[in-house]
Amino acid sequence: MEIRLENLTKVFTNKKTTDTLAVNQLDVTIPSGKLIGLLGPSGCGKSTTLYMISGLLKPSQGSIFFGDDDVTTVPPEERGIGLVFQNYALYPHMTVSQNIMFPLENLKVPKEEALERAQKIADLVGIGELMSRKPAQLSGGQQQRVAIARALVKEPRVLLLDEPLSNLDARLRIQTREEIRRIQRETGITTIFVTHDQEEAMSISDEIILMDFGVKQQMGAPQNVYDEPENLFAAKFLGTPPINLFDGKITAKKIKLGTAVIGSTKAAPNDIVIGIRPEGFVVEEEGPIVADVEFVETIGRDTTLIMIDPTDATKRFRAIVDSDYRIEAGHQVQLSVKPHKMYIFDHETGERL
Amino acid sequence: MVLDSVVYGDEKQNRRKARIRFSLVLTMLIIFGLFVVIPFYWMMLTAFKTEAQVLTAPPILWLNPLNWQFSNFATAMDTAPFLRYMGNTVLVSSISTVGTIFTTVFAAFAFARLNFNGRDFLFMILISTMMIPGEIFVITNFLTVVELGWIQNQTYMNAILAMTLPFMTSIFYIFFLRQSFRQIPDELYYAAKVDGTTDLKYLFKIMVPIALPTIITITILNAMGTWNAYIWPRLVTQQQEFRLVSNGLRDAFSNIAGRILYNEQMAAALLVTFPLLVVFLLLKKYIIRGVSRSGIKG
Amino acid sequence: MLEDKSNVKAWFYLGPALFLLSIFIFYPIFNALFLVFLRDYNYLQGTWEGFTLFENFFYVFRNQNFTQALTNTMIITFVSVPISVIIALLISVWLNSVLKLRGFFQTIFFLPYVTNAIAIGMAFAFLFNQNYGLINTMLGWVGLNPVNWVGLGATWGNAMFSLLIYVVWASLAFKIMVFLSGLQNIDKQYYDAARVDSTKRYRIFRRITVPLLSPMIFYITITSFIGAFKAYTQVIGMFGVRLGPPGNDKSLITIVALVYDALDRSGVPGALSEAAATAIVLFLITLVFTLINMQVSKNRVHYSGGGK
């Protein structure tokens, strides 16, 4: 089921404070059968978007299409969606099987069939043996699976997950996200999940939609967005450790970081922000950037150098280089930059140049 | 344990101190415990005495169970129809409790879950009336009951209506239940909405079962309130046999001129007290929970 | 959807409760405010002699029993509330500090919460009986003469003393329940920290327990004052409808008793207005003391940390 959002806008009105523009003219087409990560910092409008797709929130403007159906005004229960909440929202007084069968009860599915479907879906998510337990007797990861089973049991056209992993500990999180990936593959349901964790989004999504301040910043396959950020926000938000940013200039088609010339461009002379990924530096004797090393951390294969920004001594930047280089703190190094790991942005607008 | 030895050093001395402290606390608890228990004991003791034993000075403080005079209870029941009063009380308390649960569950749901114009304002008004002493209502409610024709030539039905209808809802319980409902995460409601659950079904399938302990607490407190009710039933009942236990108890031993038969009086008092004690011991958990909760939330 | 107003639905849900509340709570409030300004309202004929601002209040104050009722109510309130709050606080702290037997004592101390006020009042009256009561027997053990607490011709002072003992007894259970649950919600870390600093027990009580429990102490004090101003059934329980020891009738009358006194005379012109005026006077007294209470405790109640 392809999902199309057209000019989707949500304004929260409030008597006491000013109105909040939570989602601003969002235009997105989500391809059928894919797993999409809706990614952004907290308050960026990603959950609001998800709730509008679910029908729990009404858009202030714009439309939502499921395939060719305009579902903008269709109530949630008629949209054919499954929704999984951050805190799972399992009914505490019901057993696992009662929880999973609850949506079917509303659809007036006969008891026998409901039981059968519940068992099937429970087996799919790997909780088939826990059907008679109460939610309180389950671990966080198991509760999460029950929630997914409950969302899937009515065979929705779309599966929506709101921060599905944030209540799990680190180990379970990795395990569960693989599980979500697997379930999505097996069922082929178009799935949208909201997260603020870029690693989570990048590791399992077919595509990510990056949002900030209610505006779509960039959409694409995770690696593409990482490799080709369209603006400063996209560059900053993806990547651990984060990208290094320097104030720079373009003069006569040369990109200048302080006095060092680190590349060339066709763009007009301008004040710019230069972003260089930590892995984008190479230690070279002839390298144009000269920097003082403050710390050296060697972890296995990689060496991380923390250096003083040559243009601003109050700032630090980070480079990850091969541990073949023996570099010590307090020394000076010379660095050059891999061109495809460096991006330049307009100083005012943040747009990629 | 580690903390103890670091701070206080000498473990032996420390343990002795703790023992002394414990004995002191225990002594105080026993003294006050006796203060609490003695009236109950006195009631029971007297209820089983013969008249001669009651009128012995100094009083007999312990009675061998073999010598208990059970006939006091029979005599007490001859003095006034206590079984009848108990029946009335059970009936009145069941009706008013069912009514209260019905009205408060719906109202609490509206306040906790629904979004409507004037909700906060209405809720504030309800809360502020909780400060007004009940006597202000009683005056007019008495007139209302008279106007409804439930006092003149009163039938049993009229008496029951007069004793129950004004107590079929309660602002305090609406407030109490709303607190309970609000602790249920919003997501449960959203999840149910996505699955096409109606509000009514959500209320009875999800909210009521989750808030069941609170509803049980309300039931108990309400029933106990009726068991204790004295003023209103006295005001609105025209015939002795329509009254509730408290009235029956008070009247039965106020009307006798001259000497009071204390053993019969205490036997009657015990009859009235005993069911409450049983209820308390059986449902202690819910009562304590309800009281301490309402206490904390104000 | 989520933000949609569901006005019609809401009123349907609120309907039953609001219907009853309108008849038995809201209307009575307005009606009381109406009654209190009627001159010589004759309820049976539905007539009155115009309006008056204060006349009905004068009736209240000129009632021969008003001074007695006010004095009794004030004494019951200002003696029983502080005493019972302090005793309840101590008992809860003690209860909280013993591990063994806690459940047993808890049950005992909670028992009075569920008893019938009339039945226990009668038991208290017999406890204080001059010849056959336990109290005088116990006085005899320490060589004191028997006192006529509640019998024929007992003095106001003796009767009031007995009543106060009963009122304190009856009000302990609720307070202990609330305090105990408050104590159990205090984070143990505060006590561990205090012990590391080798704080003395008494100082722990004064500087940690009481401040952290202060929201509950405040709540209990306010509700106890409001409750004590309404004292009436306790008097009925111990002394019956004559509201005092035999031969000293009405000596323990309270303000609420005045309301019902007036209500019993409902056929007499003006009686209902007097009842309304009395109830309003009671409300105003309660209100003033509640406000004073709030003002006094303003800076002494710590809302963080204690309880939830």
Side-chain angles (χ1 to χ4, degrees):
Chain A
M1 183 63 52
E2 183 189 86
I3 300 170
R4 214 162 70 247
L5 312 180
E6 279 182 9
N7 193 30
L8 196 65
T9 301
K10 180 69 194 176
V11 182
F12 287 110
T13 50
N14 189 321
K15 272 180 216 156
K16 281 160 202 153
T17 55
T18 49
D19 295 353
T20 330
L21 185 61
V23 175
N24 191 1
Q25 300 183 334
L26 199 62
D27 281 305
V28 173
T29 303
I30 292 163
S32 181
K34 297 283 189 204
L35 179 60
I36 303 296
L38 200 49
L39 177 66
S42 62
C44 75
K46 54 190 192 300
S47 284
T48 308
T49 306
L50 193 80
Y51 275 36
M52 283 194 285
I53 297 173
S54 77
L56 286 169
L57 284 178
K58 204 194 292 184
S60 310
Q61 257 179 50
S63 322
I64 301 166
F65 293 90
F66 283 7
D68 294 327
D69 305 341
D70 182 349
V71 297
T72 315
T73 55
V74 174
E77 67 268 21
E78 288 167 25
R79 290 191 181 190
I81 50 157
L83 182 52
V84 175
F85 293 90
Q86 186 172 356
N87 60 5
Y88 320 138
L90 299 179
Y91 306 123
H93 58 295
M94 295 184 186
T95 62
V96 168
S97 76
Q98 285 168 331
N99 261 289
I100 300 176
M101 277 157 58
F102 191 74
L104 298 179
E105 215 178 288
N106 294 322
L107 296 173
K108 310 243 181 324
V109 175
K111 188 104 199 278
E112 299 265 295
E113 190 195 331
L115 256 170
E116 204 176 294
R117 279 169 69 175
Q119 188 63 51
K120 212 174 109 201
I121 209 80
D123 289 338
L124 174 74
V125 302
I127 47 157
E129 277 87 69
L130 307 172
M131 295 297 266
S132 56
R133 300 247 194 117
K134 291 271 179 74
Q137 299 167 304
L138 302 177
S139 70
Q142 290 168 333
Q143 291 184 27
Q144 174 64 275
R145 288 163 193 227
V146 177
I148 294 174
R150 190 178 65 184
L152 286 177
V153 74
K154 54 182 181 178
E155 291 161 7
R157 302 192 282 180
V158 177
L159 179 63
L160 306 171
L161 304 117
D162 185 11
E163 302 264 4
L165 304 172
S166 62
N167 282 0
L168 300 175
D169 66 40
R171 200 177 53 82
L172 259 176
R173 208 174 309 176
I174 294 175
Q175 198 186 327
T176 310
R177 77 187 188 203
E178 315 275 287
E179 197 68 5
I180 291 176
R181 169 88 273 196
R182 178 185 68 79
I183 294 165
Q184 195 273 333
R185 287 258 164 82
E186 281 180 29
T187 56
I189 294 179
T190 311
T191 303
I192 305 175
F193 81 102
V194 158
T195 179
H196 62 269
D197 183 338
Q198 47 128 345
E199 194 194 324
E200 194 174 297
M202 293 186 68
S203 62
I204 63 168
S205 312
D206 294 318
E207 285 191 38
I208 58 173
I209 300 168
L210 197 56
M211 286 184 73
D212 195 26
F213 292 111
V215 176
K216 180 183 81 174
Q217 300 291 332
Q218 192 169 351
M219 177 173 173
Q223 199 56 45
N224 283 352
V225 179
Y226 181 80
D227 287 338
E228 296 297 336
E230 284 169 10
N231 56 33
L232 191 54
F233 173 80
K236 274 199 296 197
F237 198 77
L238 295 186
T240 29
I243 197 164
N244 298 297
L245 298 175
F246 305 92
D247 287 329
K249 267 190 172 54
I250 300 176
T251 39
K253 312 253 184 245
K254 302 275 183 237
I255 302 169
K256 292 178 79 176
L257 195 165
T259 53
V261 175
I262 56 171
S264 59
T265 174
K266 289 179 192 135
N270 204 347
D271 278 351
I272 53 166
V273 175
I274 303 169
I276 306 170
R277 298 268 181 219
E279 68 272 23
F281 293 99
V282 182
V283 179
E284 266 182 351
E285 273 177 34
E286 300 300 305
I289 303 171
V290 182
D292 293 318
V293 178
E294 199 171 59
F295 280 117
V296 180
E297 299 166 5
T298 304
I299 300 163
R301 190 167 49 84
D302 291 329
T303 296
T304 300
L305 307 177
I306 292 149
M307 291 167 287
I308 297 165
D309 184 336
T311 62
D312 180 351
T314 63
K315 291 194 198 152
R316 300 292 177 268
F317 72 103
R318 197 181 267 271
I320 298 173
V321 296
D322 273 353
S323 52
D324 300 347
Y325 302 104
R326 290 280 162 217
I327 297 164
E328 282 169 39
H331 286 77
Q332 234 175 25
V333 287
Q334 285 191 281
L335 304 161
S336 63
V337 179
K338 299 175 188 165
H340 64 283
K341 291 285 181 190
M342 176 181 78
Y343 319 103
I344 55 175
F345 305 97
D346 186 286
H347 194 272
E348 301 301 317
T349 63
E351 287 304 312
R352 173 110 179 255
L353 296 170
Chain B
M1 287 306 114
V2 177
L3 263 183
D4 273 344
S5 53
V6 170
V7 178
Y8 294 101
D10 189 343
E11 206 177 311
K12 229 182 198 172
Q13 196 192 346
N14 198 26
R15 241 190 252 160
R16 219 188 62 209
K17 261 189 188 167
R19 246 202 322 270
I20 292 172
R21 197 180 299 121
F22 179 71
S23 327
L24 274 176
V25 167
L26 204 62
T27 312
M28 294 314 285
L29 285 178
I30 289 170
I31 291 173
F32 280 100
L34 283 175
F35 172 63
V36 168
V37 167
I38 279 176
F40 290 111
Y41 178 70
W42 195 242
M43 182 194 283
M44 282 186 244
L45 182 71
T46 313
F48 288 108
K49 282 181 177 176
T50 63
E51 199 183 343
Q53 285 167 329
V54 170
L55 300 179
T56 304
I60 299 161
L61 301 180
W62 170 252
L63 212 55
N64 188 331
L66 293 174
N67 301 333
W68 286 358
Q69 178 164 291
F70 284 95
S71 63
N72 292 341
F73 296 96
T75 334
M77 291 217 223
D78 283 342
T79 314
F82 280 102
L83 283 182
R84 171 94 209 228
Y85 295 149
M86 283 187 199
N88 293 344
T89 311
V90 168
L91 184 64
V92 166
S93 101
S94 318
I95 295 175
S96 78
T97 303
V98 169
T100 304
I101 299 291
F102 176 79
T103 57
T104 52
V105 161
F106 280 114
F109 176 76
F111 281 120
R113 197 55 283 170
L114 297 178
N115 203 353
F116 58 96
N117 288 327
R119 179 182 64 185
D120 297 345
F121 180 69
L122 183 64
F123 193 67
M124 211 186 66
I125 288 189
L126 291 193
I127 294 297
S128 49
T129 58
M130 291 208 309
M131 260 208 65
I132 298 173
E135 283 65 35
I136 287 188
F137 315 135
V138 166
I139 301 162
T140 305
N141 288 346
F142 175 65
L143 301 183
T144 305
V145 171
V146 174
E147 288 298 321
L148 288 168
W150 292 345
I151 303 291
Q152 289 286 314
N153 304 320
Q154 193 172 44
T155 62
Y156 187 54
M157 178 78 175
N158 291 151
I160 298 293
L161 277 173
M163 285 190 279
T164 51
L165 199 69
F167 303 100
M168 285 215 198
T169 193
S170 149
I171 294 175
F172 175 68
Y173 293 150
I174 291 176
F175 175 74
F176 190 24
L177 203 51
R178 169 185 169 268
Q179 297 293 87
S180 222
F181 280 169
R182 280 169 69 102
Q183 282 171 3
I184 300 171
D186 290 345
E187 283 81 3
L188 259 58
Y189 183 60
Y190 304 157
K193 283 274 115 176
V194 167
D195 295 336
T197 313
T198 61
D199 279 353
L200 205 61
K201 185 174 177 197
Y202 178 71
L203 174 59
F204 284 103
K205 280 246 153 169
I206 313 288
M207 281 184 125
V208 167
I210 293 177
L212 198 61
T214 306
I215 292 172
I216 293 176
T217 303
I218 291 177
T219 308
I220 300 167
L221 294 182
N222 202 57
M224 286 190 339
T226 313
W227 202 263
N228 249 318
Y230 172 80
I231 300 172
W232 180 256
R234 188 177 82 93
L235 217 53
V236 299
T237 47
Q238 292 298 303
Q239 294 181 43
Q240 288 287 343
E241 65 260 36
F242 295 168
R243 300 196 163 179
L244 305 187
V245 281
S246 298
N247 313 99
L249 187 60
R250 187 67 270 177
D251 296 350
F253 298 97
S254 293
N255 301 337
I256 301 166
R259 219 175 56 208
I260 302 173
L261 298 167
Y262 288 107
N263 52 346
E264 286 174 26
Q265 191 193 35
M266 288 299 108
L270 187 58
L271 278 178
V272 169
T273 310
F274 190 69
L276 279 179
L277 291 183
V278 172
V279 167
F280 174 74
L281 291 175
L282 289 180
L283 303 172
K284 204 172 89 180
K285 189 178 84 182
Y286 291 102
I287 297 172
I288 292 172
R289 184 191 146 109
V291 171
S292 37
R293 272 264 194 86
S294 63
I296 289 168
K297 305 283 179 190
Chain C
M1 301 188 201
L2 281 191
E3 327 107 290
D4 284 358
K5 300 267 181 191
S6 36
N7 287 319
V8 178
K9 197 190 280 173
W11 292 108
F12 163 73
Y13 280 90
L14 287 170
L18 281 188
F19 174 73
L20 290 171
L21 289 176
S22 313
I23 298 178
F24 296 111
I25 301 281
F26 300 135
Y27 164 62
I29 293 174
F30 291 108
N31 197 42
L33 289 176
F34 177 63
L35 284 175
V36 83
F37 297 119
L38 297 183
R39 175 175 285 141
D40 289 338
Y41 173 57
N42 186 331
Y43 154 65
L44 293 174
Q45 281 161 16
T47 57
W48 63 86
E49 312 289 321
F51 296 93
T52 167
L53 209 52
F54 295 116
E55 204 173 282
N56 289 309
F57 290 102
F58 291 145
Y59 278 131
V60 177
F61 300 133
R62 263 183 280 148
N63 184 317
Q64 50 173 351
N65 292 318
F66 180 75
T67 323
Q68 187 69 61
L70 186 66
T71 317
N72 289 339
T73 306
M74 290 297 163
I75 289 176
I76 292 171
T77 306
F78 288 99
V79 175
S80 80
V81 173
I83 290 181
S84 60
V85 168
I86 291 169
I87 294 181
L89 190 57
L90 288 174
I91 291 178
S92 343
V93 171
W94 292 330
L95 267 179
N96 199 40
S97 74
V98 294
L99 285 175
K100 280 181 232 164
L101 299 172
R102 186 196 286 175
F104 170 74
F105 279 114
Q106 220 167 298
T107 309
I108 291 203
F109 285 114
F110 291 172
L111 272 183
Y113 183 72
V114 295
T115 50
N116 181 294
I118 306 288
I120 293 290
M122 288 175 160
F124 264 89
F126 190 50
L127 268 176
F128 281 97
N129 186 288
Q130 186 168 11
N131 301 314
Y132 315 116
L134 184 64
I135 303 295
N136 278 347
T137 310
M138 287 164 79
L139 289 181
W141 294 345
V142 290
L144 293 170
N145 288 326
V147 178
N148 180 10
W149 298 107
V150 294
L152 181 67
T155 61
W156 172 84
N158 287 345
M160 178 58 95
F161 180 84
S162 324
L163 177 69
L164 284 172
I165 299 280
Y166 169 39
V167 172
V168 168
W169 181 92
S171 64
L172 281 180
F174 173 71
K175 297 184 175 73
I176 296 175
M177 280 193 217
V178 174
F179 286 151
L180 199 59
S181 82
L183 284 172
Q184 281 161 357
N185 277 332
I186 295 179
D187 195 333
K188 297 278 172 291
Q189 283 183 4
Y190 294 115
Y191 291 105
D192 290 341
R195 289 187 67 188
V196 171
D197 302 336
S198 47
T199 318
K200 291 262 185 293
R201 293 261 155 187
Y202 171 71
R203 278 180 56 79
I204 291 181
F205 178 72
R206 275 290 306 277
R207 301 300 299 275
I208 298 176
T209 309
V210 171
L212 289 180
L213 210 55
S214 56
M216 258 137 283
I217 298 176
F218 171 65
Y219 164 75
I220 281 289
T221 310
I222 290 224
T223 51
S224 305
F225 268 103
I226 294 175
F229 279 123
K230 299 205 290 183
Y232 176 58
T233 26
Q234 298 96 322
V235 187
I236 297 265
M238 255 184 113
F239 298 95
V241 283
R242 63 166 97 82
L243 302 176
N248 209 348
D249 285 18
K250 299 214 169 177
S251 61
L252 294 177
I253 196 167
T254 62
I255 296 181
V256 169
L258 289 180
V259 178
Y260 292 109
D261 237 26
L263 205 51
D264 279 343
R265 292 180 271 121
S266 63
V268 181
L272 285 174
S273 301
E274 191 187 325
T278 315
I280 288 170
V281 167
L282 174 67
F283 171 59
L284 293 177
I285 294 175
T286 313
L287 189 67
V288 166
F289 279 98
T290 306
L291 291 177
I292 292 175
N293 233 319
M294 287 171 125
Q295 202 58 38
V296 169
S297 23
K298 214 177 199 172
N299 300 320
R300 304 189 185 168
V301 176
H302 307 265
Y303 277 103
S304 55
K308 279 180 192 161

